[in-house]
Each structure stands twice: as structure tokens, then as C-alpha cells.
């Protein structure tokens, strides 16, 4: 994977330019615009309509407490960014929310129902789907097969029914149609029959996101969707994430790039050392002293660079 | 040098019962490793489970032979659960370690003296398959054998081969159909990345268990056919070397291809038995004295030398065609990324 640093500046240029055919194409409605204006940015603050609620979620590895989240609500239909310095516990928290890891204590509710101890594979049918920090394209399956795998309610996925083609052919055709539609939307149609292993890193990110959409999720959890992706493709990915919101889906994503966070997120949750240290709108979060301290006080993570003129902050003055 | 004799051996062994047995065990292992990515180093354990299912049903339980086949299948399913439930949640290596140990444990358990009344211990179980041969359509009064060109087959062998290759054909058909279905797509996806499959809402553990059971049962059918052919179940025929010969078979054919275990098994037995006759002929005619001296070849080590030669061939295959006969190099190259 390539480093992010040179990428950031170019992205910044593109964003600042604000024009271009690509930029215009990427305009999407924001159904939750203005929703967060009156919400106070304190950790654990209540949201008007939370889709996901985490209470007292704690996970330790030996003596190290990786995640210790007191309370978090995630607003339905919004794009929520989860940021924090390296080692803050973002991915571990993601794994806990998606059933890929088990919390020592705590409760997670999805749409008001508890999902504590629910196996990860059962969450897709409840409307939650995730992607991974290290992209998981299924190399020796074609891009189209990758997509078809994501679809729900496939009778042909039972061994007995699989033996008799007429029992699954019709559903398979529907699935293929759905898959081709999504591939078209993600500009991957020309790659349909290629092995996913032959795609570039950025294309794999696209396939993974498109494949996740095959499950028709309510809640999409993206773990570093822009990592190692070139600037042009980053713009395209951002557009696709905004498109998810326009379709009334909820998005939670982990990201290091503050330009990306500011560009697309409605709400930002900041983690450090396993805890949620701040919440707020992207505009307010850069001014938050706790956030600045967490980033610059401990690890000097270069990803949170507030030198951009749009959002002056203590960090740039310091 | 009697080339006729060598060719006869190549053809009769290449399509003989051993090739059928290895083809079946290979089809099973190919489902495990080739499609699902399960490292099963104990396929011979499933063969033993199938074989002892039939044998024990007749010998110990005094059941009808045909019900014995069902018992064999049940044993294989039981073994798959026993191996799979504790290990399939863990990393792939754990299944590998467990299966190789389990296959040896099975062999030692059935040959244990305390099991004499159930498994026949080290004497095994003999002459249990008469009902199988009672239905032989090739049996005819007078002559007991058939001649085709310069091949001669006993009527009983022909019957085993007919049933055997029919079962192979059915298993190939089932594998082909399953692997083009959405079920097979999930298996292949698990081979590539299990977490991605779970994130998309598939119960990866259940699919891996199903694959282990299916491949195990097909391997068990191979074991049954082997003991039916010999009319004898012997514990020591199920030693770990067999597992690695079956791995050879699917590697020669190319993993993850429907036909590869069948063609691999034919080539394996054709070459192994052809080599043996060739080396014996060499000794008899003295045509290659220098070669004999170089290898220190003599009557007592011919069967070792043939495996050495086969091993050399396998190394050359790995060097020049690592994807096997049916594999695709393009696909194999994706592993390196």
C-alpha cells in the first residue's frame, strides 16, 4: 500500500478547486443536513434517532484495555466518522460492533434489539455489513462472482438445493442483474469477468464496497475505505459514500485523512486510548482541545493536520 | 525389453481398482483443499472410516452388507464432525495437525487387541463382501476371465471396476454441479477469505463442516471400494503414506479442478506400475547395466527406486508446471499478490 502523505495534498487541491466534471457529478442530497446543528458535542450525547447504541463496551487484551466506550449513539441516515490516533482502538471497536470480536462487558443495540453475542454472520441479515481495513477481495473469484456472493436469500447456497439447478437459477439471474447494476454504478463493468486478484488496490476497495451493498444494508461500516487509494479514486469513493447517505443508509467509517472526514461526515467521533474523548460536527471537532491533545500531545500523528485555512485551529497556531 | 508387458501393466493399473480408490479419495480431498482450502492431512482416516463401516457392520453387528455401506457413510460423517467442530473455528493449520493425528489414531485403535471382536484387530476382517459379488453381471459359467486385446481381466475385477468408475463418474458430476452453484461459490470464497464471507452473512463454519463431510464421505466410498476389491479390511493398509499419495494425485492433476483427481489417479497408477515393470525388465535383460550400477538397482529395491523416480518427476512438475495438468498458471500467480 502506498503512503497517504503525498495523496493528501493532491486531494486538498482537488477539493479546494471545487470544480471539474468529477466534482459536479458527485453532488448528492444530504437528507440529514442541519440535523446536528443543535446537538451538543459531548461524548455520549443522545441523537434524535439512533440506529446503533453501544453501552459500556469494554475489551481488554491481557492488561491492555483496548476499548472502553461508556456510551455511544449513532444517528440513523448520517455519515459518522470514527477517528483517532493509531492504536486508539477504532478497529477493535469496529470488530466488537460487528461481532468479529467479543466484548468483555457491555451491550450493543441495533435498531433497538440487542446484538450481544450474535454471531457476525447473522448481522448481515439484520441490515449491518462491514468492510475491512485490509481489503478482502476474493482473489480467485471473478469480480462478478465476488458481487453475487454478497446477495441475500440465495436458495442455491444450501447444499441440497444446489444439486438441482432449476431450484436456484431464477434467483441467480436476479442476483446477477443486481450485481451488474452495482458494478455499473461503481464503474467496474469492464472488470466483471476478471479475477478480483488482478484489480488495483483502489478497485478492490470499490469491489468490496459494492459487494457489501449486495446485502442491501441499512448500516454500512467501512474500515479505512480510502487507505492506499489514489486521489482520483478517493473522490470517486467519497461520491459513493455520499450516495449511500442519499439512499437513506447509515454509514460509519474509520478514517485518518481529515480532509476526507471534513468533506463527507455529518458527525465525528474521536477515540483515544480506547475511550471516546470527543464527539461533534466536523467543524467543531478540530477546535476541541481534547482532540488536539490526543493527536499532537501523544503520537504526533501527521494525519490530523489542521493547517487548512477552512478550519483554523489551535493545532496550526501551536 | 518386453514393451507389451509394460504397456499392459500401465493400462491395467491406470484404470484398475487402485486408480478408482485414489480417484475417489482425491475427489474428496479436492473438495477439502482445492475448493474450500481445508488442509486435510488425514484423508486416509476417512477411507478407513468407510472401510471399517462396511466391515464392522458385517463382521461385528452381523448386518446386511448393503446396510454396511450406510454405516460406512455414517462413520465418515461422524469423523467429519469430530474433527471439524473443535478445529474449524481455528486457523487452517490446526485442522491439518488434527487430521494427521486422527488418521493414525484410527489405525491404531482398530488394530488394538481389545477390539478383536469388533474390528478383527490386526487380522482385520475378511470375506465380508460376498453379496457385492453375488450381483456380478460379468459372472458366467466356465471361464472366469475376459480378454480385451492383450488385457485380461477377472470377472470380479471387472465388476469392481464397473461399479467403481460409475461411482467416480457420479462423484465428478456432483462436484461439478455443486461447484458451479451458489453453494460452491461460498466454498471458494471461504478458501480466499473466510472473514469476508462471514461479513456478507454466510455461516462459514457450517459451510466448512459441510465440505469436510462431503469430501470425507467421498473418500470413505474410496476406502469401501478398496476393501471390497480385496475382500479384506486390514488396519495397516490405512497408513499416512496413502494420504500423501492422494495429495500427489490432486497436485499432479491441479487443485481446484473437477477432473484433476481422476486424471491424477490414472497417471499416478499408470506411472508407478509402469515404472516398476520397466525397472524389473531392465534388471532381467541387463539392457542398462551402467544405469543399474548407478542406482545400485536390484530386485529387492525396485519398488523404492520407482518411488524415487516418481518423486523426481513430481519435483520437475513443481518446477515447470506448478499448477498441475488442469490448473491455470494465471490463477496460481494470484497467490503471490
Amino acid at each position: 500500500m502506498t503512503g497517504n502523505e503525498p495523496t493528501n495534498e493532491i486531494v486538498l487541491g482537488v477539493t479546494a478547486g471545487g470544480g471539474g466534471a468529477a466534482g459536479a457529478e458527485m453532488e448528492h442530497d444530504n437528507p440529514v443536513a442541519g440535523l446536528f446543528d443543535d446537538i451538543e458535542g459531548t461524548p455520549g450525547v443522545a441523537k434524535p434517532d439512533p440506529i446503533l447504541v453501544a453501552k459500556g463496551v469494554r475489551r481488554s487484551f491481557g492488561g491492555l484495555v483496548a476499548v472502553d466506550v461508556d456510551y455511544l449513539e449513532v444517528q440513523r441516515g448520517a455519515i459518522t466518522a470514527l477517528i483517532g490516533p493509531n492504536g486508539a482502538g477504532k478497529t477493535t471497536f469496529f470488530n466488537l460492533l460487528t461481532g468479529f470480536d467479543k466484548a468483555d462487558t457491555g451491550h450493543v443495540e441495533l435498531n433497538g434489539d440487542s446484538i450481544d453475542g450474535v454471531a457476525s454472520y447473522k448481522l448481515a441479515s439484520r441490515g449491518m455489513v462491514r468492510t475491512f481495513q485490509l481489503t478482502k477481495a476474493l482473489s480467485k473469484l471473478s469480480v462478478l462472482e465476488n458481487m453475487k456472493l454478497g446477495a441475500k436469500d440465495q436458495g442455491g447456497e444450501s447444499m441440497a438445493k444446489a444439486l438441482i439447478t432449476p431450484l436456484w437459477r431464477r434467483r441467480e439471474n436476479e442476483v446477477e442483474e443486481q450485481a451488474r447494476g452495482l458494478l455499473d454504478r461503481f464503474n467496474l463493468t469492464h472488470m466483471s469477468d476478471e479475477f478480483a486478484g488482478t484489480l488495483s488496490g483502489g478497485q478492490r476497495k470499490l469491489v468490496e464496497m459494492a459487494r457489501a451493498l449486495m446485502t442491501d444494508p441499512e448500516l454500512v461500516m467501512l474500515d479505512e475505505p480510502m487507505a492506499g487509494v489514489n486521489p482520483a479514486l478517493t473522490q470517486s469513493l467519497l461520491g459513493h459514500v455520499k450516495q449511500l447517505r442519499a439512499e437513506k443508509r447509515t454509514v460509519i467509517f474509520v478514517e485518518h485523512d481529515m480532509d476526507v472526514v471534513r468533506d463527507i461526515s455529518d458527525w465525528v467521533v474521536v477515540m483515544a486510548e480506547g475511550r471516546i474523548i470527543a464527539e461533534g460536527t466536523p467543524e467543531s471537532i478540530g477546535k476541541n482541545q481534547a482532540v488536539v491533545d490526543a493527536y499532537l500531545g501523544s503520537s504526533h500523528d501527521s494525519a490530523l493536520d489542521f493547517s487548512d485555512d477552512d478550519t483554523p485551529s489551535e493545532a496550526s497556531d501551536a | 525389453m518386453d514393451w507389451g508387458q509394460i504397456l499392459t501393466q500401465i493400462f491395467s493399473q491406470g484404470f484398475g481398482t487402485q486408480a478408482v480408490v485414489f480417484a475417489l479419495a482425491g475427489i474428496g480431498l479436492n473438495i477439502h483443499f482445492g475448493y474450500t482450502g481445508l488442509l486435510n492431512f488425514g484423508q486416509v482416516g476417512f477411507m478407513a472410516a468407510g472401510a471399517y463401516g462396511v466391515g464392522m457392520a458385517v463382521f461385528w453387528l452381523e448386518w446386511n452388507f448393503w446396510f454396511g455401506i450406510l454405516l460406512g457413510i455414517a462413520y465418515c460423517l461422524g469423523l467429519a464432525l469430530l474433527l471439524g467442530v473443535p478445529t474449524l473455528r481455528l486457523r487452517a493449520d490446526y485442522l491439518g495437525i488434527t487430521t494427521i493425528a486422527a488418521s493414525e489414531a484410527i489405525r491404531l485403535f482398530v488394530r488394538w487387541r481389545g477390539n478383536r471382536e469388533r474390528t478383527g484387530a490386526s487380522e482385520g476382517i475378511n470375506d465380508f463382501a460376498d453379496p457385492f459379488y453375488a450381483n456380478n453381471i460379468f459372472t458366467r459359467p466356465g471361464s472366469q476371465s475376459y480378454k480385451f486385446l492383450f488385457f485380461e481381466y477377472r470377472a470380479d475385477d471387472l465388476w469392481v471396476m464397473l461399479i467403481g468408475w460409475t461411482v467416480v463418474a457420479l462423484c465428478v458430476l456432483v462436484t461439478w454441479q455443486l461447484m458451479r452453484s451458489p453453494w460452491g461459490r461460498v466454498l471458494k470464497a471461504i478458501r480466499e477469505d473466510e472473514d469476508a464471507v462471514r461479513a456478507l452473512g454466510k455461516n462459514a463454519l457450517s459451510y466448512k463442516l459441510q465440505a469436510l463431510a462431503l469430501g470425507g464421505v467421498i473418500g470413505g466410498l474410496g476406502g469401501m471400494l478398496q476393501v471390497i476389491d480385496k475382500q479384506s479390511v486390514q488396519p495397516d493398509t490405512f497408513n499416512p503414506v496413502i494420504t500423501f499419495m492422494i495429495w500427489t494425485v490432486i497436485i499432479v492433476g491441479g487443485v481446484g479442478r473437477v477432473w484433476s483427481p481422476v486424471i491424477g489417479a490414472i497417471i499416478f497408477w499408470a506411472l508407478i506400475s509402469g515404472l516398476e515393470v520397466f525397472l524389473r525388465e531392465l534388471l532381467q535383460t541387463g539392457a542398462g547395466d551402467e544405469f543399474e550400477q548407478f542406482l545400485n538397482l536390484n530386485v529387492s529395491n525396485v519398488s523404492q527406486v520407482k518411488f524415487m523416480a516418481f518423486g523426481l518427476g513430481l519435483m520437475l512438475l513443481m518446477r515447470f508446471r506448478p499448477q498441475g495438468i488442469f490448473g491455470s498458471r494465471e490463477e496460481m500467480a494470484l497467490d503471490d499478490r
Side-chain angles (χ1 to χ4, degrees):
Chain A
M1 292 293 158
T2 54
N4 270 336
E5 283 71 15
T7 319
N8 289 351
E9 288 171 36
I10 305 169
V11 172
L12 205 62
V14 172
T15 323
E25 189 185 52
M26 293 300 171
E27 293 307 319
H28 300 283
D29 296 337
N30 181 357
V32 293
L35 185 75
F36 291 98
D37 291 351
D38 302 330
I39 299 178
E40 194 190 350
T42 51
V45 68
K47 311 291 183 316
D49 181 16
I51 185 171
L52 190 76
V53 181
K55 297 175 197 163
V57 174
R58 190 183 158 95
R59 175 76 167 105
S60 56
F61 300 102
L64 175 80
V65 179
V67 168
D68 188 1
V69 169
D70 289 336
Y71 193 82
L72 175 68
E73 288 188 359
V74 176
Q75 170 61 30
R76 185 187 310 278
I79 299 178
T80 302
L82 184 59
I83 66 169
N86 289 327
K90 304 181 296 289
T91 294
T92 308
F93 188 43
F94 239 58
N95 287 342
L96 294 173
L97 294 177
T98 53
F100 276 78
D101 193 3
K102 211 166 168 285
D104 303 332
T105 56
H107 303 286
V108 182
E109 283 175 13
L110 178 65
N111 280 325
D113 299 323
S114 166
I115 53 169
D116 300 334
V118 173
S120 54
Y121 73 89
K122 287 184 180 153
L123 290 174
S125 59
R126 297 216 191 173
M128 181 199 260
V129 71
R130 73 169 293 184
T131 66
F132 295 85
Q133 186 173 358
L134 296 171
T135 325
K136 294 187 184 299
L138 306 164
S139 296
K140 292 185 195 171
L141 267 62
S142 74
V143 169
L144 186 63
E145 284 176 307
N146 260 273
M147 297 293 294
K148 285 174 169 180
L149 179 74
K152 290 199 278 197
D153 303 323
Q154 298 195 59
E157 287 183 352
S158 106
M159 200 205 283
K161 284 186 187 161
L163 285 169
I164 303 153
T165 310
L167 292 180
W168 48 267
R169 174 54 66 195
R170 215 175 52 152
R171 176 69 182 135
E172 180 78 356
N173 291 341
E174 289 168 11
V175 167
E176 178 154 344
E177 199 177 323
Q178 188 194 353
R180 289 196 186 279
L182 275 168
L183 285 176
D184 195 36
R185 171 170 150 192
F186 281 78
N187 289 326
L188 286 166
T189 302
H190 62 293
M191 301 302 283
S192 309
D193 298 324
E194 304 291 328
F195 283 125
T198 63
L199 300 180
S200 72
Q203 286 172 322
R204 288 181 200 209
K205 289 274 181 202
L206 285 175
V207 168
E208 201 183 24
M209 197 188 290
R211 191 176 63 196
L213 291 185
M214 287 293 290
T215 65
D216 192 20
E218 269 185 274
L219 172 60
V220 187
M221 315 218 6
L222 307 169
D223 197 350
E224 298 205 21
M226 321 292 170
V229 175
N230 74 52
L233 212 48
T234 302
Q235 283 305 304
S236 156
L237 270 164
L238 290 178
H240 290 302
V241 175
K242 287 181 191 166
Q243 177 68 31
L244 297 182
R245 180 178 57 193
E247 293 170 359
K248 306 271 163 66
R249 302 185 204 272
T250 310
V251 180
I252 308 178
F253 74 109
V254 172
E255 188 50 65
H256 279 297
D257 187 334
M258 277 309 293
D259 294 317
V260 167
V261 170
R262 245 170 304 166
D263 185 1
I264 64 169
S265 53
D266 301 303
W267 191 252
V268 181
V269 175
V270 188
M271 285 184 78
E273 292 170 359
R275 297 173 161 276
I276 291 178
I277 57 164
E279 279 190 56
T281 56
E283 294 76 29
S284 70
I285 211 75
K287 301 175 188 135
N288 186 309
Q289 192 57 44
V291 177
V292 174
D293 287 348
Y295 270 93
L296 300 179
S298 55
S299 69
H300 296 273
D301 194 318
S302 61
L304 194 83
D305 181 9
F306 291 93
S307 60
D308 188 346
D309 291 335
D310 296 343
T311 51
S313 70
E314 287 88 343
S316 56
D317 301 334
Chain B
M1 181 91 26
D2 184 354
W3 289 102
Q5 169 73 16
I6 297 174
L7 277 178
T8 310
Q9 192 68 13
I10 285 178
F11 278 97
S12 59
Q13 292 302 304
F15 296 96
T17 335
Q18 278 306 307
V20 177
V21 171
F22 274 47
L24 285 171
I27 292 169
L29 187 61
N30 198 32
I31 291 172
H32 293 156
F33 179 70
Y35 291 106
T36 325
L38 302 176
L39 278 178
N40 173 11
F41 288 126
Q43 184 67 338
V44 75
F46 284 104
M47 295 168 71
Y52 272 94
V54 186
M56 286 165 72
V58 176
F59 176 75
W60 175 41
L61 302 171
E62 298 180 6
W63 288 4
N64 179 303
F65 168 83
W66 300 104
F67 284 111
I69 292 185
L70 296 181
L71 186 67
I73 291 172
Y75 274 10
C76 292
L77 293 174
L79 181 60
L81 284 177
L82 198 68
L83 292 174
V85 170
T87 60
L88 286 179
R89 286 171 208 276
L90 308 171
R91 267 202 343 250
D93 347 14
Y94 290 91
L95 179 71
I97 297 163
T98 311
T99 46
I100 192 168
S103 72
E104 266 300 79
I106 290 171
R107 183 177 71 85
L108 295 170
F109 180 72
V110 292
R111 80 192 302 283
W112 172 48
R113 280 177 57 89
N115 273 330
R116 188 185 291 265
E117 283 173 15
R118 290 177 284 269
T119 66
S122 56
E123 284 113 77
I125 301 164
N126 298 297
D127 299 322
F128 61 95
D130 291 338
F132 180 85
Y133 292 101
N135 291 292
N136 190 347
I137 54 167
F138 296 109
T139 310
R140 58 182 178 185
S143 167
Q144 279 301 304
S145 66
Y146 289 77
K147 268 194 130 137
F148 304 98
L149 302 172
F150 45 93
F151 305 116
E152 193 169 338
Y153 288 109
R154 284 170 53 241
D156 283 353
D157 289 343
L158 272 183
W159 179 232
V160 176
M161 283 165 64
L162 176 73
I163 298 293
W165 285 114
T166 309
V167 175
V168 168
L170 280 174
C171 290
V172 166
L173 192 70
V174 165
T175 314
W176 172 79
Q177 167 67 14
L178 285 176
M179 293 312 156
R180 72 191 192 106
S181 77
W183 187 81
R185 183 161 64 220
V186 178
L187 293 198
K188 286 181 255 181
I190 288 173
R191 176 190 68 197
E192 300 300 314
D193 195 310
E194 198 183 321
D195 282 343
V197 175
R198 285 162 66 205
L200 293 170
K202 326 287 175 193
N203 184 351
L205 178 69
S206 158
Y207 281 96
K208 290 204 287 185
L209 262 180
Q210 291 172 43
L212 188 66
L214 177 68
V217 167
I218 296 177
L221 294 178
M224 289 180 210
L225 209 83
Q226 173 173 326
V227 295
I228 288 169
D229 175 50
K230 302 241 174 17
Q231 274 269 35
S232 164
V233 192
Q234 293 296 326
D236 292 336
T237 52
F238 300 103
N239 65 61
V241 175
I242 306 291
T243 297
F244 293 97
M245 288 184 179
I246 296 160
W247 274 91
T248 307
V249 159
I250 69 165
I251 288 167
V252 167
V255 287
R257 289 286 186 271
V258 172
W259 280 105
S260 75
V262 180
I263 304 300
I266 292 172
I267 290 175
F268 181 87
W269 281 103
L271 278 185
I272 284 287
S273 36
L275 266 174
E276 166 132 23
V277 187
F278 174 76
L279 291 173
R280 287 193 192 285
E281 286 282 327
L282 209 63
L283 276 176
Q284 255 177 24
T285 57
D289 283 335
E290 286 166 27
F291 183 64
E292 283 168 34
Q293 277 162 17
F294 172 68
L295 285 176
N296 196 15
L297 190 66
N298 57 53
V299 191
S300 60
N301 66 16
V302 159
S303 39
Q304 279 86 359
V305 172
K306 82 179 171 194
F307 278 111
M308 286 164 55
F310 194 87
L312 182 67
L314 200 61
M315 281 190 244
L316 291 173
L317 182 83
M318 287 295 97
R319 170 65 186 79
F320 294 105
R321 200 177 164 79
Q323 69 272 39
I325 292 166
F326 290 106
S328 111
R329 181 152 239 170
E330 185 202 3
E331 202 172 318
M332 193 138 193
L334 296 175
D335 281 340
D336 304 331
R337 283 169 172 250

